[in-house]
Amino acid sequence: MNSSWVLRVDGLGKRYGRGCGLCSKNTGPLAGANSCANCGSILACTNVSFDLLPGETLGIVGESGSGKSTVLRCLFLDEEPTWGSAYLSGFHRGERDIFTASPPERRELRAATMGLAYQNPGGRIEPSHYGGREHRRTALERPRPFGCRDSRPGGLPSSPHRGAA
């Protein structure tokens, strides 16, 4: 088992469309586009490589449309990458590309090894939590657990943290 990293990603890339010989030239930061003017293919991400060491947390940041979600969907095995490889230290001792896993192996990886907090564009950062402590709020201001309903007449405005009134 590889003890120097828990996740290694090498040259990960995802293309939507058939692709052509001009895709690399027609897309990217220098071209100012992620879709190929010749064939219309979209290069969602290209050449993503990193090693995640034990105890580290990975944050993927970038502009809208830069491929952040595509990278995560590929790594979580929701989508097949067009090229590249990824290795988890706990999957065949880090010696086998997770993208070659069989459907049962993928289910096991997702259930026992991986975790992903899906992006919620309607969500928001809860302002009551800063620096690991909760600021005092009245009971009426505190978010309710998901699925709970407000039984008071008129209720509070609905939010991702509160059930419909």
Side-chain angles (χ1 to χ4, degrees):
M1 182 163 157
N2 185 325
S3 61
S4 63
W5 48 261
V6 291
L7 173 63
R8 168 170 276 169
V9 177
D10 293 316
L12 176 65
K14 177 68 177 175
R15 180 186 64 232
Y16 296 98
R18 62 179 172 79
C20 72
L22 297 175
C23 284
S24 294
K25 179 182 174 189
N26 290 342
T27 61
L30 295 177
N34 68 350
S35 64
C36 178
N38 187 56
C39 70
S41 293
I42 295 173
L43 294 182
C45 58
T46 58
N47 200 28
V48 176
S49 299
F50 61 86
D51 287 354
L52 187 66
L53 303 178
E56 289 186 328
T57 300
L58 174 67
I60 300 177
V61 297
E63 293 183 25
S64 178
S66 63
K68 303 175 299 291
S69 295
T70 301
V71 168
L72 290 175
R73 283 193 302 269
C74 288
L75 290 175
F76 202 62
L77 307 173
D78 285 336
E79 289 193 27
E80 291 288 329
T82 306
W83 57 84
S85 56
Y87 303 88
L88 280 169
S89 60
F91 181 66
H92 293 269
R93 296 178 312 280
E95 297 170 0
R96 186 164 155 222
D97 183 355
I98 64 170
F99 301 136
T100 65
S102 68
E105 288 174 319
R106 287 175 181 241
R107 283 190 296 277
E108 178 65 22
L109 274 169
R110 289 175 57 126
T113 307
M114 300 177 167
L116 178 62
Y118 284 94
Q119 173 177 310
N120 177 2
R124 60 184 167 78
I125 295 174
E126 176 55 48
S128 67
H129 298 275
Y130 292 103
R133 66 182 191 278
E134 183 174 346
H135 292 273
R136 291 192 176 268
R137 301 176 103 190
T138 67
L140 293 177
E141 293 175 313
R142 285 201 182 107
R144 295 185 180 277
F146 182 78
C148 291
R149 294 187 169 267
D150 187 356
S151 60
R152 290 167 288 158
L156 295 173
S158 63
S159 77
H161 302 286
R162 227 178 252 116

